[in-house]
Amino acid sequence: GQNIDQPTEMTATEGAIVQINCTYQTSGFNGLFWYQQHAGEAPTFLSYNVLDGLEEKGRFSSFLSRSKGYSYLLLKELQMKDSASYLCAVRDNAGNNRKLIWGLGTSLAVNP
Amino acid sequence: DTGVSQNPRHKITKRGQNVTFRCDPISEHNRLYWYRQTLGQGPEFLTYFQNEAQLEKSRLLSDRFSAERPKGSFSTLEIQRTEQGDSAMYLCASSLGSHGPPLDTQYFGPGTRLTVL
């Protein structure tokens, strides 16, 4: 079956670093995406990994290990505006499948 | 603004009525997706178009749901005989399809929030 697991909720302090984990089990793999979603708004694209390793984009980094079916999103120098849900999504490459398989999201609360 | 747009942003309807939502993708994007999302859940795939062709439709989607993309540009999602369980945020996303996954990143519109009374 297709499954993506992320923690439901996390709490961190402004200025700190937080790591949000995502594990996946899919029949195929053709890339992993991280999206940020503020309450009541649409998801916005953060990062993409298709090869093993770390991708860095400013305060945000994303890591992938395909052999372990594992990714994490690292947020540094947390700001209050980073309070949001973080969604992990995997593209399965089975056949002509172009849809993403989504996790339920991790709700991050950043406290002062 | 050249992002994905959706109309209306909010829709309140009575059970049994039909509703139609519109999505205008980013102009050069040839792929368009519809999702449904409820509170605390990730987006749930509904259907997907490449140009005007509807290539996949979720098996979870009942016959009351239909989507079109007649000219390969904007798309409409219609829900007939709405039920209270249809209350959700309906999200549209578009992507620049290619053989390369980086160019197939999906960009979302602001969504249409449907409330069925």
Side-chain angles (χ1 to χ4, degrees), chain B residues 2-64:
Chain B
T2 57
V4 180
S5 62
Q6 292 186 246
N7 289 289
R9 296 291 305 277
H10 304 274
K11 178 71 177 177
I12 300 174
T13 190
K14 293 182 179 178
R15 189 177 55 186
Q17 298 295 306
N18 298 344
V19 294
T20 300
F21 309 142
R22 176 177 171 128
C23 171
D24 288 87
I26 294 171
S27 60
E28 64 268 26
H29 285 188
N30 58 6
R31 292 194 175 134
L32 187 147
Y33 309 78
W34 284 100
Y35 293 90
R36 177 171 62 190
Q37 187 178 29
T38 53
L39 196 62
Q41 303 292 313
E44 176 189 15
F45 171 80
L46 296 179
T47 190
Y48 141 66
F49 291 84
Q50 176 149 336
N51 300 313
E52 66 275 10
Q54 187 174 20
L55 296 188
E56 189 171 352
K57 187 175 177 181
S58 169
R59 285 171 288 181
L60 300 174
L61 214 57
S62 76
D63 291 342
R64 297 185 298 107

Side-chain angles (χ1 to χ4, degrees), chain A residues 8 30-31 33 35 37 39-48 50 85 87 91 96-105, chain B residues 9 31 33 35 37 40-45 48 50 56 89 91 98-102 104-111 113:
Chain A
T8 304
N30 194 17
F33 296 80
Y35 282 79
Q37 186 174 27
E41 298 182 11
T44 55
F45 170 71
L46 286 180
S47 68
Y48 168 80
V50 67
S85 180
L87 295 158
R91 179 167 36 230
N96 290 319
N97 189 331
R98 288 291 180 177
K99 64 178 184 281
L100 298 177
I101 302 160
W102 294 84
L104 298 183
Chain B
R9 296 291 305 277
R31 292 194 175 134
Y33 309 78
Y35 293 90
Q37 187 178 29
Q41 303 292 313
E44 176 189 15
F45 171 80
Y48 141 66
Q50 176 149 336
E56 189 171 352
M89 175 77 89
L91 295 166
S98 75
H99 296 295
D104 209 24
T105 298
Q106 294 180 26
Y107 294 91
F108 285 82
R113 182 167 296 283

Side-chain angles (χ1 to χ4, degrees), chain A:
Chain A
Q2 316 272 50
N3 194 45
I4 296 182
D5 287 316
Q6 320 177 219
T8 304
E9 294 179 342
M10 297 184 72
T11 303
T13 304
E14 194 175 13
I17 299 173
V18 70
Q19 178 174 311
I20 302 174
N21 296 325
C22 170
T23 57
Y24 63 89
Q25 291 177 306
T26 55
S27 53
F29 180 84
N30 194 17
L32 184 144
F33 296 80
W34 283 96
Y35 282 79
Q36 179 191 60
Q37 186 174 27
H38 285 100
E41 298 182 11
T44 55
F45 170 71
L46 286 180
S47 68
Y48 168 80
N49 295 72
V50 67
L51 300 176
D52 291 351
L54 189 68
E55 295 283 341
E56 297 189 75
K57 264 188 177 183
R59 293 190 300 115
F60 293 2
S61 303
S62 57
F63 171 83
L64 175 68
S65 169
R66 289 171 296 171
S67 62
K68 295 182 179 177
Y70 167 70
S71 173
Y72 67 72
L73 180 69
L74 192 71
L75 291 75
K76 303 176 186 175
E77 302 170 14
L78 280 172
Q79 302 175 9
M80 299 296 289
K81 67 178 182 180
D82 296 330
S83 294
S85 180
Y86 291 85
L87 295 158
C88 173
V90 171
R91 179 167 36 230
D92 189 333
N93 62 355
N96 290 319
N97 189 331
R98 288 291 180 177
K99 64 178 184 281
L100 298 177
I101 302 160
W102 294 84
L104 298 183
T106 298
S107 179
L108 173 67
V110 179
N111 297 320

